[in-house]
Amino acid sequence: MRKSALLAAVLFLLVALVPLAGDAYWLRLGTTMLMYGVIAMAWNFIGGLAGYPSFASAAFFGLGAYAGAVAQKLGVPMGLAWTLAGALSLAFAALLGLALLRLRGHYFAIASLVVAEVLRELVNSATDLTGGGMGLNLPVPHDATVASQSEFFFYAMLALAAITFAAMLWATHSKLGFGLRCIQQNESAADMLGVNTTLYKVAAFMLSGAFAGAAGAIYASWVHYIEPPDVFDVLYSVKAIVMVLLGGAGSVFGPLFGAAIFLSLEELVWRNYLQVHTGVLGLMIVLLVLFLPKGVFSLRLPWRKGKP
Amino acid sequence: MLSLQILANGLVLGGLYACIAAGFSLVWGVLNVINILHGSFIVLGGYLAYYAYAQFGIHPFVSILIAAPLFFALGYILQRSLINRMIAAPVLLTLSLTFGLDLMLSNGMLVAFTADFKKLTLDPPLGVLNLGGIALPVDRLFAMVLALALTGLLYLLLSRSRIGRAIVAVRMDREAAALMGVNVKRIYAVTFGLGALMAGASGPLLAMIFPISPLSGPVYLGKAFVICVLGGLGSVPGAMIGGLALGVVESFGALWFGPEHAITLSFTLLILMLLFRPTGLLGRTGYA
Amino acid sequence: MTTLLQLEGVTRQFGGLKAVSGVDLSVAPGEVIGLIGPNGAGKTTLVNVITGVHRASSGIVRFDGEDVTGLKPFQAARRGIARTFQIVQPFPEMTVAENVAAAAMFAGAVRYGDEANAEALGHLRFVGLAEMADKRASSLTLAMRKRLELAKSLAMRPKLLLLDEVNAGLNATEVDHALSLIRGIAARGVTILIIEHLMKVVLSLCTRIVVLHHGELIASGTPQEIVQDPRVIQAYLGRRYAAGGEAAEGQSHG
């Protein structure tokens, strides 16, 4: 655990140097990568550790984005708005988890997939609060330059990624993560051994929700404008899974590496083929599932074994 | 009178929904694979009917006969070549695989047909049937009857034919079926083919009623999910009941809450059913 | 006489079928009770009701002076009811030691980390699996897995241990080893309820035998009384004293 923490600290410090390059393109790319990393790590709590095929990432991300945006619109300071958005997603995940985590397999997957659709419709119809289908503009602080702004959001996303990573590292090497691994391998046996499976699964779902929601809130402030189909996009749920699969499910660094690899592919391949954007993503998923279902690093790396 | 009219509309819609869901439910039940492609197959079937009618004047009802073998072959080959490799993999992987395939297909359709909605309008129109004050568009009525007939044919195939009994046997107990000489791999491929056939064949029927667009794929897929859960997984009668129930619920829901809440309503229904009655309205599974 | 486990009129129905019907049973601390009966008699279902896997349709389960009827499995486990499965259920991707540590941690209230590992190693030594501690559980042979199940259930620090066919599928030497382990566990003061098809095991191990037939308790007594009981002999229809391993019982684990 100490080794992983040290390695991560070095990694995050290196990433923190990116703004020195001073290039707006690299800054945008870095922020996106960190955001993807947070979404992937957040999914890893429920999908990687507990082994539940959650498609709820988009729901949490969108909920956080709208919660943060609405709070800011109502005059809540930005940092507090992000925290509130994370807390709301956490509470929402708790309630949702109590209901949905009784389902298994395909049923859980579908139910979690549907949540984003329902939220999107609700946000669409709550026009007074959310602007509905017209989208929502966020206040832009006028005392800052564009460059300093993008630097600010980069560091905000970096801080969130670091916190998410710390939480995941802690969870993996604690009783919580151990219990979740038991659940992932054999839930009824875990129950028999005294694991309060409901509590553990809901806890994992809450962590998942909180971090994905916070990422959504920062994203909303960063891009200044959100609309329902953008932030409740089911592709967020799919990308989270793909990134973790790429990097290796259940590993501590997997989601981050997966996010980096995924974004590189996205940038290298898709920028040139905008029209077949989703098709190429689909092809990538198919190839990944067929040929590398255990991730790019299919070797058993030393840090992938979380000992009690 | 109004509620009778709404009920009739709902039942007509429900017959089509049953046809949408029957194949999806079959594949899910027998292979334990959720075929995310199902919605796009329906849309593709719709385009086939649209172009057949616009270019060659082939009536959509006839297009069904063209679509059926094509989609069966497509499904059979897809299962044999790709999906079968992941058949025993965890839910997450099989789901991701069909999801990826669906992204490719729907993107392909978007490039080929654009996102504009296309409407297949029969010329001359078939008119409207008036049954004691209840107005029923004849094309819808025909589409529903054909949809129910297709679903009924699937049921007959499963309950009467040799291959159908083998499919049911595999669904109930794969190992036992294999021991009794059933070629499980082939049955899987045939089942997936049948699922694709049902999707492709319901496409032309839907094209006569709803505008077609690649963007409609997920909508049909969502309906198939809801119907499976409503009616209970993996049974044709279940799909029938679930389809009719969803049709009626959507029609009345549109009346009471407004048509823009149709998706929210049906998905809320889905989640409630999953939580409180996961075996479906009929409370049983299988084809028995 | 104090009782550790008391069943009062316990019934469990599946649809119209009564898998367990009106079972009354008291178990005193320190007893080693054999639960026998033909296949499908409802033995595993009864164990499932005691451990909370199935909720009793009617009747009361008392454990250690407390009504535990509606408890969930994890709650029953934390109160000191441990069980092994007819079909062994390790966490396949975890090491043998981790499997046992999990039991120590979640049911035995041992702290996460070194403490749980040390406890796990102790139990593994007791069942003779210490040298396999760092191997993956999926790499064990069937006999080893059965012993792993025993180590896991011991790590739960049970007051009552429910053993569901721990000897099924084992050869004669392995059965003897398992027998001496179970004796050792009983000697520690753990109360044991054992489902077993091998009469040799039941007769040599148990202080008392209860017989379940069609879900009902038809006899209870010392081994000598039971083997002479005409109702028991009739229930088995000549299938008594079965020598080899038996086919798995029809009851599922839910």
Side-chain angles (χ1 to χ4, degrees), chain A:
Chain A
M1 177 173 178
R2 199 169 295 160
K3 229 165 46 182
S4 303
L6 212 64
L7 195 60
V10 174
L11 205 71
F12 279 116
L13 276 176
L14 282 176
V15 176
L17 299 177
V18 165
L20 292 183
D23 187 324
Y25 171 74
W26 283 103
L27 213 51
R28 188 183 61 77
L29 213 58
T31 314
T32 309
M33 194 205 85
L34 289 165
M35 184 178 93
Y36 278 8
V38 172
I39 296 172
M41 286 190 285
W43 182 85
N44 198 38
F45 284 108
I46 188 70
L49 286 173
Y52 267 66
S54 165
F55 282 76
S57 306
F60 296 140
F61 185 82
L63 182 70
Y66 265 97
V70 169
Q72 273 186 264
K73 210 181 81 176
L74 297 176
V76 178
M78 195 184 280
L80 187 60
W82 295 347
T83 317
L84 283 176
L88 182 74
S89 303
L90 181 110
F92 178 70
L95 291 176
L96 194 67
L98 280 175
L100 297 190
L101 286 163
R102 291 191 284 163
L103 306 169
R104 294 196 189 173
H106 286 128
Y107 290 99
F108 174 76
I110 290 167
S112 65
L113 183 70
V114 159
V115 174
E117 302 294 319
V118 172
L119 284 182
R120 176 169 57 188
E121 289 299 316
L122 289 179
V123 166
N124 247 332
S125 46
T127 320
D128 295 343
L129 203 59
T130 62
M134 299 294 294
L136 192 59
N137 279 301
L138 275 87
V140 184
H142 30 273
D143 53 346
T145 65
V146 173
S148 74
Q149 280 237 17
S150 27
E151 213 165 284
F152 171 75
F153 287 113
F154 173 83
Y155 282 117
M157 212 57 103
L158 181 70
L160 179 64
I163 295 168
T164 312
F165 183 85
M168 197 179 63
L169 190 63
W170 164 78
T172 310
H173 295 274
S174 72
K175 196 173 168 180
L176 173 65
F178 196 73
L180 290 174
R181 281 208 295 149
C182 291
I183 291 170
Q184 184 233 322
Q185 300 200 10
N186 188 335
E187 186 163 343
S188 58
D191 194 6
M192 286 289 168
L193 284 188
V195 180
N196 186 347
T197 50
T198 308
L199 180 74
Y200 274 63
K201 288 184 295 184
V202 171
F205 209 45
M206 285 165 74
L207 286 166
S208 186
F211 292 116
I218 298 182
Y219 170 80
S221 302
W222 177 37
V223 298
H224 300 312
Y225 170 77
I226 54 172
E227 53 181 354
D230 170 28
V231 291
F232 287 109
D233 189 350
V234 63
L235 283 183
Y236 281 118
S237 300
V238 179
K239 283 178 184 174
I241 296 168
V242 172
M243 289 187 284
V244 175
L245 286 181
L246 264 174
S251 96
V252 183
F253 285 96
L256 277 178
F257 284 145
I261 299 167
F262 183 83
L263 189 71
S264 314
L265 288 172
E266 202 171 50
E267 280 301 307
L268 290 176
V269 183
W270 298 350
R271 276 208 308 155
N272 310 316
Y273 307 97
L274 265 182
Q275 224 197 356
V276 289
H277 189 104
T278 51
V280 175
L281 172 65
L283 181 65
M284 224 175 88
I285 295 173
V286 170
L287 294 177
L288 176 67
V289 169
L290 286 177
F291 299 110
L292 288 171
K294 293 201 164 139
V296 174
F297 308 96
S298 291
L299 317 150
R300 232 183 132 66
L301 300 172
W303 59 71
R304 290 188 53 186
K305 235 172 75 178
K307 277 197 161 192

Side-chain angles (χ1 to χ4, degrees), chain B residues 163-245:
Chain B
I163 190 101
R165 296 315 296 167
I167 291 174
V168 175
V170 170
R171 157 149 175 78
M172 285 174 177
D173 189 332
R174 193 183 48 204
E175 276 79 25
L179 284 175
M180 285 157 69
V182 175
N183 181 346
V184 174
K185 262 191 189 172
R186 192 170 144 259
I187 291 299
Y188 277 169
V190 169
T191 308
F192 203 86
L194 281 174
L197 181 154
M198 289 300 288
S202 51
L205 296 174
L206 288 162
M208 292 170 55
I209 298 174
F210 300 112
I212 323 159
S213 159
L215 306 176
S216 310
V219 178
Y220 294 136
L221 180 70
K223 291 195 195 303
F225 279 147
V226 177
I227 293 161
C228 275
V229 173
L230 275 178
L233 177 60
S235 92
V236 175
M240 200 89 92
I241 299 286
L244 291 172

Side-chain angles (χ1 to χ4, degrees), chain B residues 41 44-45 48-49 52 62-78 192-194 196-201:
Chain B
F41 279 170
L44 195 60
L48 188 136
V62 181
S63 297
I64 295 177
L65 297 176
I66 307 168
L70 280 179
F71 277 88
F72 179 83
L74 177 65
Y76 190 97
I77 293 167
L78 204 59
F192 203 86
L194 281 174
L197 181 154
M198 289 300 288

Side-chain angles (χ1 to χ4, degrees), chain B:
Chain B
M1 210 62 230
L2 177 66
S3 51
L4 267 181
Q5 173 73 53
I6 303 272
L7 184 68
N9 291 352
L11 287 174
V12 168
L13 205 56
L16 289 165
Y17 286 175
C19 189
I20 293 182
F24 180 76
S25 169
L26 179 71
V27 170
W28 187 357
V30 176
L31 280 75
N32 196 28
V33 166
I34 285 195
N35 181 19
I36 303 273
L37 280 161
H38 199 78
S40 296
F41 279 170
I42 294 172
V43 173
L44 195 60
Y47 276 114
L48 188 136
Y50 174 82
Y51 284 107
Y53 189 69
Q55 306 282 328
F56 309 107
I58 299 173
H59 195 277
F61 292 162
V62 181
S63 297
I64 295 177
L65 297 176
I66 307 168
L70 280 179
F71 277 88
F72 179 83
L74 177 65
Y76 190 97
I77 293 167
L78 204 59
Q79 155 66 20
R80 257 290 152 85
S81 58
L82 290 180
I83 292 164
N84 198 45
R85 299 172 56 146
M86 302 304 294
I87 199 86
V91 168
L92 192 65
L93 291 180
T94 51
L95 213 52
S96 301
L97 179 64
T98 59
F99 206 109
L101 290 170
D102 183 54
L103 286 179
M104 291 164 70
L105 178 57
S106 60
N107 198 168
M109 288 198 294
L110 211 55
V111 173
F113 309 127
T114 75
D116 298 338
F117 282 89
K118 293 201 166 64
K119 182 83 181 78
L120 194 163
T121 319
L122 286 181
D123 182 36
L126 292 174
V128 176
L129 192 69
N130 197 320
L131 275 179
I134 302 171
L136 289 173
V138 176
D139 51 354
R140 283 199 177 211
L141 204 59
F142 271 137
M144 180 199 79
V145 170
L146 270 177
L148 287 177
L150 266 173
T151 317
L153 274 176
L154 180 67
Y155 181 70
L156 280 181
L157 180 84
L158 289 173
S159 55
R160 297 290 161 78
S161 74
R162 212 180 135 73
I163 190 101
R165 296 315 296 167
I167 291 174
V168 175
V170 170
R171 157 149 175 78
M172 285 174 177
D173 189 332
R174 193 183 48 204
E175 276 79 25
L179 284 175
M180 285 157 69
V182 175
N183 181 346
V184 174
K185 262 191 189 172
R186 192 170 144 259
I187 291 299
Y188 277 169
V190 169
T191 308
F192 203 86
L194 281 174
L197 181 154
M198 289 300 288
S202 51
L205 296 174
L206 288 162
M208 292 170 55
I209 298 174
F210 300 112
I212 323 159
S213 159
L215 306 176
S216 310
V219 178
Y220 294 136
L221 180 70
K223 291 195 195 303
F225 279 147
V226 177
I227 293 161
C228 275
V229 173
L230 275 178
L233 177 60
S235 92
V236 175
M240 200 89 92
I241 299 286
L244 291 172
L246 181 67
V248 172
V249 166
E250 276 193 1
S251 295
F252 280 99
L255 177 67
W256 293 329
F257 304 108
E260 69 274 20
H261 293 299
I263 291 181
T264 311
L265 183 70
S266 60
F267 282 162
T268 311
L269 200 65
L270 168 80
I271 290 181
L272 289 178
M273 280 297 288
L274 280 176
L275 293 178
F276 298 109
R277 201 165 165 78
T279 47
L281 290 173
L282 292 182
R284 56 173 196 187
T285 52
Y287 299 95

